[in-house]
Amino acid sequence: MRRLAIAALALALAAPSMAKAPAHKASPPKPMADVVAASPASDWRPLDPQNTVYLELADGHRVVVELAPAFAPEHVANIRAMAREGFYDGLWIERSQDNYVVQWGDPDGKKPLTHKALGGAKSKLPAEYDRSSAGLGAFTRLPDPDTYAPETGFVAGFPAARDLKAHKAWLVHCYGMVGVGRDNPPDTGASAELYAVNGQAPRHLDRNVALVGRIVKGMELLSVMPRGTGALGFYDKPEQRIAIKGMRVAADVPAAEREKLEVMRTDSKSFAQVIAARRNRSETWFVHPAGRVDVCNVPVPLRAAR
Amino acid sequence: MRRLAIAALALALAAPSMAKAPAHKASPPKPMADVVAASPASDWRPLDPQNTVYLELADGHRVVVELAPAFAPEHVANIRAMAREGFYDGLWIERSQDNYVVQWGDPDGKKPLTHKALGGAKSKLPAEYDRSSAGLGAFTRLPDPDTYAPETGFVAGFPAARDLKAHKAWLVHCYGMVGVGRDNPPDTGASAELYAVNGQAPRHLDRNVALVGRIVKGMELLSVMPRGTGALGFYDKPEQRIAIKGMRVAADVPAAEREKLEVMRTDSKSFAQVIAARRNRSETWFVHPAGRVDVCNVPVPLRAAR
């Protein structure tokens, strides 16, 4: 019994507790597991193999990243081109900073970043840190205040923010989001260095760096990498680095070897129910439903393709 | 050079960028490293050995937890008594759930939780999930909105929230905060099961469970524990558990073997400058200072005692 202490945090239990349900609610929301179980097939979409890349670790494990061309089209095009050219082949996870980021790339800068060497990728990219809020498609807005942005929500599966007065929208740095490392000049992140958030959302990075996608599967492989003891969590010694085979565009991988995954559409009725479930946990364990939710605390459900 | 991509995120550089400092500010805030370097000794306090416990791992590593008796006095008293009675000796890290919690305790429930067996600790504790906001001492309030609470800030070194209309205050679930696992009845968390947050702040747990302290040193040892593949990240097989020696109250450890640490006082002028530095990063790397900060993104500086 004690083994299951704080068990109900993630499990959806059968009997919702009415004890402290907010007074203005007729009934508590369905727990997330029930929402997922009841969702129609039309509320799911397969990952687009052109917008999916696999980070292949040398030990045979695979991390699945969904790319976000609507927000960072040139960086995404670079990542595709560089993956196809083999740029990431034989590189390393080179940095693991606790409660911040895990980073992979070319720590010694040995691979040239020229247009030619990159097989058509660009060595200089624009600062795709935000974009016009117009023409973005559905923005599933969360009803609760956010510390950093006027509005937060989801766009095509990604956590995002919006400032309608400034006509801008951008991706936000939630756990598992993938961005492009850069030096001080804001145009130096050709996509040679990629990082994933491994702790509390560093939202102060929003609009300071190009976010290019989200790890939809395999983050638990990266989050446990031993923390680097060098400055900023870089590995002090080359032998501490963790080798990667490379990155592959899913479309280039034989269909039989691809991950067959579907994510819930964030503009669906089911996802609206997921948000409701996360705002007020109705599982028995809870005595004080929050009535609020942060954009980085709403998971986008994932399942095996059917 | 590429090695240092997104380097300036954590480094305090010499020359603050004026380019995008908010118009209403005469000058950008000092970077955090400069604040720490310039802080007077009176803005620091040593850890109180009666309110500090060491989680000693079997491999010889040590995790330092500062306890919060102002918020959970009975749970803290239990942890002290149980540590002294050897309750935690020979237990395990038994759970590591990605982007949620790492948990240690007695997974098979073999140790009795009776008053007598616990050497005076209580087998049933009140639900210390919040407390009166009166009589709490200084509450260093953050100026920015929070998704979950009317006010957030710091009390005696801990991230906290407050609702003055309801006359309540509580600790919040930031990265590295330590809480007491419990089953569904809200009074079953005798402190036999402890967890630490290892990802995005699960703020929906606030006021649902007793937070008892904060890991001030050594979180990077716990955050990399292999993720459990059982339900809720529990280790499926006993041999996957990571052994711990036990927990020790620092006051019971010979002075020469204690950690000599100081934390910045969160009611000090220096800490106010830390908050300012975190709200608007003035390091050269940033092109878009946030102008806001979440309570879980303000670190409480730690240093070796002087």
Side-chain angles (χ1 to χ4, degrees):
Chain A
M1 288 199 303
R2 267 189 271 152
R3 185 173 188 278
L4 289 175
I6 68 166
L9 306 186
L11 272 186
L13 298 180
S17 165
M18 306 294 286
K20 299 227 177 175
H24 63 281
K25 285 271 185 188
S27 62
K30 269 196 294 194
M32 192 173 88
D34 294 0
V35 173
V36 168
S39 59
S42 56
D43 284 356
W44 297 80
R45 62 178 172 86
L47 291 179
D48 175 352
Q50 288 291 351
N51 285 325
T52 304
V53 288
Y54 302 146
L55 167 62
E56 309 272 11
L57 305 182
D59 68 3
H61 285 102
R62 179 184 274 179
V63 177
V64 181
V65 181
E66 181 171 29
L67 299 171
F71 286 90
E74 299 220 33
H75 284 81
V76 164
N78 252 35
I79 291 170
R80 271 197 217 100
M82 290 163 73
R84 286 176 167 148
E85 195 64 18
F87 175 84
Y88 302 103
D89 293 2
L91 295 184
W92 296 273
I93 293 166
E94 62 195 345
R95 177 189 189 188
S96 170
Q97 184 171 1
D98 198 54
N99 191 21
Y100 200 42
V101 297
V102 55
Q103 184 172 328
W104 60 99
D106 181 18
D108 303 319
K110 289 190 177 169
K111 294 213 178 190
L113 291 180
T114 60
H115 181 71
K116 193 177 169 192
L118 291 175
K122 294 181 183 174
S123 58
K124 286 214 168 194
L125 294 176
E128 295 176 319
Y129 306 161
D130 56 22
R131 56 154 284 161
S132 168
S133 55
L136 192 56
F139 185 100
T140 303
R141 187 183 171 183
L142 293 178
D144 306 310
D146 178 74
T147 299
Y148 293 90
E151 296 182 15
T152 57
F154 287 82
V155 175
F158 295 97
R162 194 165 68 167
D163 182 344
L164 288 177
K165 283 187 195 161
H167 309 289
K168 293 287 185 187
W170 58 95
L171 294 176
V172 297
H173 275 85
C174 296
Y175 191 90
M177 287 293 285
V178 176
V180 174
R182 65 165 174 87
D183 287 334
N184 284 343
D187 63 350
T188 54
S191 303
E193 298 287 330
L194 300 173
Y195 65 88
V197 173
N198 70 2
Q200 173 67 23
R203 295 282 307 279
H204 54 284
L205 298 181
D206 293 356
R207 310 184 79 178
N208 279 284
V209 65
L211 285 168
V212 294
R214 184 174 75 85
I215 293 178
V216 295
K217 189 180 175 195
M219 182 61 201
E220 74 282 1
L221 301 168
L222 300 182
S223 57
V224 299
M225 294 297 175
R227 303 318 187 212
T229 50
L232 307 167
F234 279 93
Y235 293 126
D236 287 303
K237 295 165 192 164
E239 60 267 29
Q240 296 170 318
R241 298 172 187 163
I242 291 120
I244 63 177
K245 270 187 219 160
M247 290 184 74
R248 304 278 171 267
V249 180
D252 302 344
V253 171
E257 295 167 26
R258 291 184 203 157
E259 303 290 315
K260 280 103 188 156
L261 297 171
E262 295 178 345
V263 290
M264 186 178 277
R265 293 181 192 275
T266 52
D267 58 353
S268 69
K269 275 193 184 175
S270 295
F271 192 69
Q273 292 176 325
V274 166
I275 293 171
R278 288 279 148 164
R279 294 183 74 238
N280 280 298
R281 301 293 185 108
S282 58
E283 295 89 342
T284 306
W285 186 88
F286 285 87
V287 297
H288 187 91
R292 307 284 186 94
V293 75
D294 184 278
V295 65
C296 293
N297 277 326
V298 181
V300 178
L302 177 80
R303 71 179 185 187
R306 296 183 175 191
Chain B
M1 288 201 301
R2 267 189 271 154
R3 184 172 189 279
L4 289 174
I6 69 165
L9 305 186
L11 272 187
L13 298 181
S17 165
M18 306 293 288
K20 300 230 179 174
H24 64 282
K25 285 268 184 190
S27 61
K30 270 196 294 196
M32 192 173 87
D34 295 0
V35 172
V36 169
S39 60
S42 56
D43 285 356
W44 297 80
R45 62 179 172 86
L47 291 179
D48 175 353
Q50 288 291 353
N51 285 324
T52 304
V53 289
Y54 301 146
L55 168 62
E56 310 273 10
L57 305 182
D59 67 4
H61 284 103
R62 179 183 273 179
V63 177
V64 182
V65 181
E66 182 171 28
L67 299 171
F71 286 91
E74 300 219 34
H75 284 81
V76 164
N78 251 37
I79 290 170
R80 271 198 218 101
M82 291 164 72
R84 287 176 166 148
E85 195 63 19
F87 175 84
Y88 302 103
D89 293 2
L91 296 184
W92 297 272
I93 294 166
E94 62 195 344
R95 176 189 191 187
S96 169
Q97 184 171 0
D98 199 54
N99 192 20
Y100 199 42
V101 297
V102 54
Q103 184 172 329
W104 59 101
D106 182 18
D108 304 320
K110 288 190 176 168
K111 296 212 176 189
L113 291 181
T114 61
H115 180 70
K116 193 177 169 191
L118 291 176
K122 294 180 181 174
S123 59
K124 285 214 170 194
L125 293 177
E128 295 176 317
Y129 306 160
D130 57 24
R131 54 154 285 161
S132 168
S133 55
L136 192 56
F139 186 100
T140 303
R141 186 183 172 185
L142 294 178
D144 307 310
D146 178 75
T147 298
Y148 293 90
E151 295 182 17
T152 57
F154 287 82
V155 176
F158 296 97
R162 194 164 69 167
D163 181 345
L164 288 177
K165 281 187 196 160
H167 309 289
K168 292 288 185 189
W170 58 93
L171 295 176
V172 297
H173 275 84
C174 296
Y175 190 90
M177 287 295 283
V178 175
V180 174
R182 66 167 175 85
D183 287 334
N184 284 343
D187 64 351
T188 54
S191 304
E193 297 287 330
L194 299 174
Y195 65 87
V197 172
N198 70 2
Q200 174 68 22
R203 294 283 308 278
H204 55 283
L205 299 180
D206 294 355
R207 310 183 80 178
N208 280 285
V209 66
L211 285 168
V212 294
R214 184 174 75 85
I215 293 179
V216 295
K217 188 180 174 194
M219 182 60 202
E220 73 281 2
L221 301 167
L222 300 182
S223 57
V224 299
M225 295 295 175
R227 303 317 188 212
T229 50
L232 306 167
F234 279 92
Y235 293 126
D236 286 304
K237 296 166 192 164
E239 62 267 27
Q240 295 170 317
R241 298 172 187 163
I242 291 121
I244 63 176
K245 270 187 219 159
M247 290 184 73
R248 303 279 171 266
V249 180
D252 301 344
V253 171
E257 294 166 27
R258 291 183 203 157
E259 304 290 314
K260 280 101 188 158
L261 297 171
E262 295 178 344
V263 291
M264 185 178 277
R265 293 181 191 276
T266 51
D267 58 353
S268 68
K269 277 194 182 174
S270 295
F271 192 69
Q273 293 176 324
V274 165
I275 292 170
R278 288 280 148 163
R279 295 182 73 238
N280 280 297
R281 302 292 184 108
S282 58
E283 294 91 341
T284 307
W285 186 87
F286 286 87
V287 297
H288 188 91
R292 307 283 187 94
V293 76
D294 185 277
V295 65
C296 292
N297 277 326
V298 181
V300 179
L302 178 81
R303 70 179 185 186
R306 297 185 175 190

